[in-house]
Amino acid sequence: MFWVSGLPGAGKTVLCGATIEQLRKDSGALCPLMYFFADRTQGRKATVFEICVSILSQLVLQLGEPHKALIDTYNIAVSHGRSNISEADDIYDLFIAIASSVPTAYIVIDALDECSDATEITSWLKKAMSMLPNLRLLCFSRNTGLIRKELDSCLSMEIDPALMQSDIEKYLQTALLELPCTDSDLRHHVFVELSQKAKGMFLFTSLCVEALRQAINVRDMLGILDTIPSGVNETFDLILHKLNTESPARQMMAQKIFRWTCLAMRPLTWPELQHALSWDPKSQTFRKEDEPFMETVSILSRPLVEYQDSTGTFRLVHASVYEYLCGVSNPSRSNPNLEKFLVNPHLAPTELAMASLASVIEQSTRAMTRHGNGLHPLAPYATKYWCQHVSQSKFESKIYEKYCKFAECQETRVNWIVRWLRIDEEYSFPLQRIVTLQKLVDAWILDGGKEPLSSAVVLEDIQKALLQLDDLQYSQSSTLSQGEARSIGNFERLTCARDLAREYTKNNKLDSGIAVFEDAVNRIEEQHGRITVASCWLLNALGILYDQQNDLVLAEQIQKKALTCQKASLPRHHLDIVLTLNELGRLARHQGQFQSSERLHRDALSTLETLFPENDMHVIWTKNALGRSLLKQGRSLEALVLHEQVLAVRTERLGRTHPHTSWTLSDIARCHAQQTNFDAAITAQEEVVRSCQEALGDDNPDTLWSKNSLGILCEAVGRIDDARYLHAEAFKGQVECLGVDHPHTRWSKVELVRLGQGDDFQ
């Protein structure tokens, strides 16, 4: 590993590019070269996942023949309903497996300091270096304290500005030929002046050349040359001073360009930026007649913003431009003539939030056609990122009113989810991602003292969106071609159904949730004369809701109906059949048929283990269900082994406080209790309570039930007062959120009476 550091604008990226070109010439076909240019010219930074995916894709392309590990990973993803790589794939191990097959591999990374987490990235790189003796790594970055701490032990060099002078002079000799003047003496004068002021700074030099290109005559060029300062920020000041001489309308357009290019979540294409710039804050509409000309945008934003032909996007020319315009390293906010061009961190996000929300609302009124039609080019961007823009803005009544217009109509909300699912394959569990995005907005609303949509409403919207996606796939009039619609795997659909079951129960709406699925099933049967294999997930979901309703017989009947349909149309080991077997195993456990439950889960697991790695979500879900069946049979040692395997994977993949991780930890506590290891059981269950409080809140039914479980353990070791307190806390919350007739509430009441609490707790 070799580290090259230097000052901002000192030519690190230029040197990086030259190094890559030289390596391309020197390395043979059997020695692949991969590179990544980090780009913090947007508000977000590159993640270790994005870097690894980019490097991995370059490696695969250069190898020609697909590696077996890649094919296996792809087949797993397809079986999950995905065609794109995502965070669910073990891409770091995949990279090591593929890279180990070549004699030598080169990786070059530019602007490591502009990535999201340098520690995480360098940790991955160091791990790869330790496992791949054939790997050669070259990194470029600023010499920041964090980077120095991470890379101080490797070979390094710092770019000496004095040594860059000859390269800058070579650049000037070519660049100055493009100046509008023909006088060789004038060009020589410019060459001498810029050479002396450059001081090894490539960015400074290129900015000066760009400023001189805009001169209208010799006098103007000499005037620009005389006012050129000695420093990057000072040069930015000069550029803004020149903008300040433009007409008010052109100044306002430049300000909008800077706001969108700095704060957009990704570089915007020209149609997207053009439409965004037509947003009128006063009328709160996009005005077609206000869409600017591309040449005008280029002239006003140059040289701080450039248009890249290769990507068709506008972006800032350097990370230092972002830092300057956003005030990270800019003293110019004290100058009113310049400050108006800078991006106000409190006011600027409002414009993007309002425009994005308006775009989502406008698009929801259109018929469901292609997501990227020319009439509304900003719609795909707004669909994906409006939640981030709203959550990053200061709470204001006008944004909240615009949000309320979105939130008050379920059709608008559902259409947004459908469009999001159709354009985004970045996330392995998109339904969970939608819930996370909504939580960002909820936090923003709560900060403003308002009440957000309930989690039950969000899940109902997801439910309807899934049904609408099914309708689109069945519709012969849909304009979607194969591959355009986001495929949602049935495993995730059923995970969503379980969440729906809990939320419907919490809000006493289980009957209405069941009715929605029943109507969908009836509609499919009316259209096709029978339930189709593609719609069997609806039967699975119905079975989950019937189970939650404690109608175990009906739940089993509906799951068996799904299984019959699937076996008639699918291969024996198809994933959908395995999912249904697991649901039947769960129902068997709920009915006390523990051996039957164990058999069903083992059948499912034997198939899953041939399809997926041991840390796959299907595998660990099945192991967890199998562990519960074993525990019910008094086989706590076997169950504990499975639950600990599940806990390790869920902790790594989901986090220690994720609800699914907490449920597994609660299973482990029960295993310890069955072995009379109550100290370990109480320690585990106390962590469950804390995690549920942190992740779900104090009044969530799962949090309250975790207190009941802890109360049982406390009673087992003679801590009766603690047991009473925990059951009383749970009972109080259950009365409020579930009602007095809910089984959990009634159970807590019985326990309190049995423990001698009396009726005073009511």
Side-chain angles (χ1 to χ4, degrees), residues 362-433:
E362 180 180 338
Q363 190 67 10
S364 71
T365 63
R366 302 172 182 269
M368 291 296 296
T369 57
R370 290 184 183 272
H371 60 260
N373 63 69
L375 294 175
H376 200 39
L378 191 63
Y381 175 88
T383 295
K384 188 172 180 180
Y385 295 115
W386 75 267
C387 292
Q388 290 93 324
H389 285 307
V390 168
S391 65
Q392 291 170 3
S393 64
K394 181 181 178 182
F395 186 90
E396 296 183 48
S397 58
K398 61 181 179 181
I399 305 178
Y400 180 67
E401 289 169 4
K402 181 70 71 175
Y403 168 77
C404 288
K405 186 176 180 181
F406 163 83
E408 67 189 9
C409 176
Q410 186 180 49
E411 183 179 359
T412 299
R413 302 193 310 266
V414 171
N415 284 342
W416 163 64
I417 295 173
V418 171
R419 291 196 306 275
W420 193 94
L421 292 172
R422 289 167 66 182
I423 66 175
D424 198 309
E425 285 207 4
E426 179 180 350
Y427 298 96
S428 54
F429 296 98
L431 301 182
Q432 292 183 18
R433 178 61 182 172

Side-chain angles (χ1 to χ4, degrees), residues 131-158:
M131 300 181 69
L132 295 169
N134 60 331
L135 184 61
R136 306 291 181 265
L137 177 63
L138 176 61
C139 295
F140 292 80
S141 76
R142 306 183 199 188
N143 191 351
T144 65
L146 179 59
I147 300 294
R148 187 165 57 251
K149 177 183 176 182
E150 295 297 325
L151 300 181
D152 197 40
S153 60
C154 68
L155 294 173
S156 64
M157 65 165 283
E158 187 165 3

